[in-house]
């Protein structure tokens, strides 16, 4: 009877889905999906990349989304965030953060503040 009431160990329970989607901002207008794939695929298996473009002119809007295949490598997006943030693409440092697709999270009021045009003596390590 004791066997019927035992529960499975926590390690055998399915893990919650890992966020594998990254927002890439401050992109040079000439950055392409191919150049981003070349950079981000060094970190792990890229599932897709989309450079967001103006619907009429098709010019880059200066940001993209990179999605990793979390089934093959659950930590790839985390590694990309840690190692590629502020890496220059076409001579311009990119800014990477998690992409949150859940509208409830986006409307929660929690977020980041980015300040540009600071004095040259102030860097991202300060």
């Amino acid at each position: 009877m004791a066997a019927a009431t035992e529960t499975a160990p926590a390690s055998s329970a399915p893990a919650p889905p890992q966020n594998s989607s990254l927002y890439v901002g401050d992109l040079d207008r000439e950055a392409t999906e191919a150049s981003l794939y070349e950079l981000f695929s060094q970190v792990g298996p890229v599932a897709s990349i989309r450079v967001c473009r103006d619907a009429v002119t098709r010019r880059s809007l200066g940001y993209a989304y990179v999605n990793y295949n979390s089934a093959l490598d659950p930590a790839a997006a985390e590694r990309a965030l840690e190692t590629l943030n502020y890496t220059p693409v076409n001579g311009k440092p990119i800014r990477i953060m998690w992409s949150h697709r859940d509208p409830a999270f986006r409307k929660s009021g929690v977020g980041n503040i980015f300040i540009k045009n600071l004095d040259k003596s102030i860097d991202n390590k300060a």
Side-chain angles (χ1 to χ4, degrees):
M1 185 122 177
T5 59
E6 288 182 19
T7 59
S11 62
S12 68
Q18 192 96 5
N19 186 357
S20 61
S21 183
L22 299 173
Y23 166 89
V24 182
D26 290 343
L27 274 181
D28 178 77
R29 301 285 181 190
E30 302 302 317
T32 63
E33 282 87 352
S35 64
L36 293 176
Y37 181 84
E38 188 176 316
L39 176 65
F40 282 86
S41 65
Q42 295 173 17
V43 175
V46 173
S48 66
I49 296 178
R50 185 178 72 140
V51 173
C52 297
R53 301 183 182 281
D54 180 271
V56 176
T57 66
R58 303 305 300 154
R59 288 191 65 219
S60 169
L61 296 173
Y63 67 97
Y65 294 97
V66 176
N67 298 295
Y68 280 97
N69 188 335
S70 59
L72 295 176
D73 186 350
E78 179 78 36
R79 278 196 315 276
L81 183 63
E82 292 173 1
T83 61
L84 299 178
N85 207 9
Y86 301 106
T87 298
V89 173
N90 294 348
K92 187 175 179 185
I94 59 174
R95 179 174 41 88
I96 304 170
M97 65 179 135
W98 293 110
S99 170
H100 297 286
R101 294 181 177 163
D102 181 4
F105 183 83
R106 290 195 306 261
K107 294 176 183 176
S108 71
V110 175
N112 295 323
I113 297 176
F114 296 95
I115 303 170
K116 291 186 172 188
N117 301 321
L118 293 172
D119 187 85
K120 297 284 184 196
S121 65
I122 301 171
D123 63 14
N124 62 332
K125 308 292 185 210

